[in-house]
Amino acid sequence: MPRVRATQDAVDGYPRHVMVDWITRLIDRLAPQAIGAIHWMACCLAITICANAFGAATRNLDDEALTDRPISEVVIQGLSRVTEQEIRNNLRIATGQPFEAQAVKDDVSTLYRLGHFDSVTADAELLADGTVRIRYILVEQPIIKDIQVVGNKVASDQELRSAIGLYPGGPRDDFLLERAVEKIKNLYRAKGNYMIEVEVDETRLIDTGILIFRIVEGPRVRIRDIVFSGNDRFATNQLGAQIKTKPWVFIFSTGNLDQDMLIDDVAALDKFYKERGFIDVRVDKRVEISESGKEAKVVFVISEGRQYRLRSVVVESADGPSREATRVMRSEQVLGLMVIRPGDFYTQDKVDASTKAVTEAYDTMGYIDARVDQTWIRLGEEPEVDMIVTIRESTSVTAGLVRIQGNYITKDNIVRRRVRIQPGRPLDGHEIELAKRRLEGSGLFNAATVTPQAPDPASPAVRDVLVEVKEKNTGSVNFGVGVGSDSGFFGTVSLNQQNFDIADTPQTLDEFVSGRAFRGAGQSFAIAIAPGIDVSNYSISFGEPNLLESDYGFGSTLLYRNRVYNTYTEERVATTFGLNRTFGDMWSASGRMSFQSVTLTEFDGSTPVEVYADRGPAFINSVGITVARTNFDNPMRPSRGSRFEADMSYFGAFGGQYTFPVATASYTTFFPLSEDFFGRKSILRVNTSAGYIFQNDAPVSERFYLGGRSLRGFQFRAVSPLSARAIGSDPPTDTSEYWTTTTGTAEGLPNGDSVGGLFRFFAGAQYEVPIFDKFIAGVVFTDTGTVTDTLEMNPYRASLGCGLRLYIPQLGQAPLAFDFAVPYLKYETDETETFSFTAELPF
C-alpha cells in the first residue's frame, strides 16, 4: 500500500517554543561538564538546528492548519528511470493551488497504480512564509532483466512466455506477476496437469533482477468416472447433461480436471433442482485422485430434499402503501393468465412462463412500464409454498411520434412498414419486440432497437418511440461450386441486392460503380448463372414487397433451365409474375401467372414413348393461388413452429395443348424435444405433403416424381409409374403405333424409365441431435411415400436412415447434408440409392 508520512507542529503534545526552551536549559546544565569550547559550540549548533527543524516541521496531511494555504513548491524525489514530467502529468496538485489533503492522497494512489513504483509516500511542510511545500518520495520497482522458466516439459517455453505477460526491461508488477502464475496454472490444467505448482524465485529477482518461474508439473490427471450420489428423482444422464465436466473419452473428450469448472457444475446442478421445485437441495463435489495420481473420480454429492408444490397464489399491487387490489386486471384475470396452478410442482419454467404471460398482457394494453415480480413463502412443515405476485401497474401509455435513425440508405417508409406502432393509439409493448424481430429478419439490417422514450412532463401519458437501425451491406457478388446426388456438379456466379430501388438510377458512372445507386427501396434483385454437368440454371428475378405503397407485393422471374435426365434432356424457358400479401405475422396468400416453353431433346433408344410424345416444343401456361401459414421461431433454422401451405393451379388458362388442374398441400412442424446445458436443441421434424393432377393429359414434364433427396433410399425420380416401352433405336415420327402404359404394374418392362404420376403422397420424420457445438448435428429419419396414377397408396415405399448436417456460417444458411438410407418397403422395379448428399461451397 502507498505510505503517506504525516508531520506535526508539536512533538508528543509539546508546543515548539516549549521544546526549544527545554533543550536550552538542558545544555546549560551540562555545559560545566563539557570538555572544551569545541563541545560547547557543538551544543549551541545543535540548538540552532533543532530550532530550525521545528520551525519548518512537516505536518499531517489532514492538519487543518494546512487547509487552503497556497502551495509554493511540489518536490519529487527518488526518480532514476521514470521521468519527472511523466509524474507531474499524473498529479492533480500544482503550485499556486490551495492545499487539499484529499487531492494529495489521490495523487499517491494514482502514482502507485502506474505500476512503476514499489512505494509512494507524500508529506507536507508549512514554510515560514505561510505556504506549503509538498514532497512525493518514490521508490521505483526493480527492472526485470530476464525471464526464465524451469521444470517445464509438457508446455514449451514459447507457450509459457506468451502466458506470462511480463517482459525483460520492464518494471516488476506484482499484479501481473500473480496473474502470470495463474495463467500458467490454467495452461497446464487445460492440458490435464491438475496438480501443477508454480513458484516465483523472489530471492533471485531481488538480487539479480532475473524473474524465474519454478514449475512442478505433476502427473497428468484424467477424469475416468463421474458419479452422482443421492440423486433419487433424476437419472444420471439427465444430470450429466447439466454439467460441463466430462470423463476422458478417446478423441472426443480430454477429461481434464478443472476446479473452476467443477464449481460452475455444482451451481448448475443446484439451479437444475431448484428450477424443478427442490428448494432445499444441497449440492457438493469431491475429487478422488488415484494412487498413481494420473486418474480422478469426480463425485457430485446431492441431497435432494423434498419437491415443493404450489399451495396458492396471492396477487398484490405495488402502487399503493396498503397493497390494495390491482386496478387494471382483477386477481382472477391474473390467475387465469398464469401457466402454473395451485397443486402443481413449483417449477421455474412454469413460474417464468406465468410471469411472462402476465407481463405481455399488460404490454398489449399499453402498460409498458408495468412490472410483474414474484417470490415464494415456505409454509410450515409441509412441502408447500405460496407464490406472491407483485404488480406495479403504473399508467397506460399512448404512442407519440415514431422517429427513425440510422437508415442512411434505406427509405423511412421501408422501416415503418415493419414497425406497426400507430401514433395516438395505446403503445403495445408486445409490438415493440415484434417490430425489432421484423426489422432484423428483413435482411436489411445488422441490428435494430425499438425504444420508448422518456415521457414529456407536459404529456406524461404520451411516449415517443425511437427506432434505431444499423444497415448492412445488402449487395453481394458470389462465386461458388455445388454438388449433389440429384443435381450433379455445377458452378455458381450470382449478383444479389436485397435493398434494391429500381427508380434510383445513377446520375454519374462513379455513383453506379460505388454502389450508391439502385438502393434503398427494400426491393430484391438477383441474377444467377449456374452452369452444370447435369443441371444448368440461368435466371433474373425482381421483387417489390409493397407495390405502389400498398399491402401487396409483386415478383417476377425469367428462367432458363437445361436438365439432363437418363434418356433425354429437358430445356425450359419460363417467366412468372406474382402478387402476394401477408395477413398479420403468420398468414400469407399469393397469386401467379406462369408462361413456359418446354422442349425435350437428345433421346436414345431407351427413351420412353411417353417422353417422345411430349417432346414439344410445348407452350405451357398456368395461373395459381397459394395460401400459407407460418409461425417458425427461426425462418432459417427452426426449432419450434409449423408451416401449412395449400396450392391450386390451372394449366392451360391462356390456351396451349395441355389443360389440367393441379392441387397440392403440405404441412411441416418442428418440436424441440430436449435442450442441453449449452442451449443446443434436439429437434423432431414431421412433414407430409400430397398432390393430385385431375386430368390424365398432363405432360411428363409436369407430373409428380419422388426419389433422391425427396424420398431418401431411392434413386432420383425413381418413385413413379414406369413406361412399358421405349422408342427403340430410331425415334419414330408417329407414336400412335406404340402401346404404352403408366400403371407401373408388373406388365411394364423391368428396366422401364419413370414417366411421372398423377397422385403424390409423402410422410416423413427426422430427429436431429447436436454432436459438436452448433456446427455438427446427426440425424435419424424415415421417409415414406408413393407416386401413382390413381388415388391409392399402393405400391407404398419407405426407408430408414441416418446422416450428418454441417452448419458452417461461411458457406451460407443451408447445411451440408450427407445421408445414408435403406428401403424397407419397395416395389420390385424400384432403383435404390443408399447415399445421397447436397453441398454448396462459395469461394
Side-chain angles (χ1 to χ4, degrees), residues 478-482 492 808-812 816 839-843:
N478 305 305
F479 303 88
V481 296
T492 302
I808 304 175
Q810 294 81 358
L811 301 184
L816 307 184
E840 295 188 25
L841 308 174
F843 295 151

Side-chain angles (χ1 to χ4, degrees), residues 682-735:
S682 297
I683 302 165
L684 174 65
R685 184 193 72 189
V686 179
N687 59 306
T688 184
S689 63
Y692 186 65
I693 301 174
F694 289 88
Q695 294 181 15
N696 196 29
D697 64 343
V700 293
S701 61
E702 309 305 318
R703 290 176 174 243
F704 294 127
Y705 301 85
L706 284 176
R709 296 299 299 170
S710 61
L711 203 162
R712 290 164 287 189
F714 297 86
Q715 281 194 6
F716 177 59
R717 295 183 22 139
V719 179
S720 160
L722 306 179
S723 172
R725 191 169 184 180
I727 62 176
S729 58
D730 296 320
T733 58
D734 182 8
T735 61

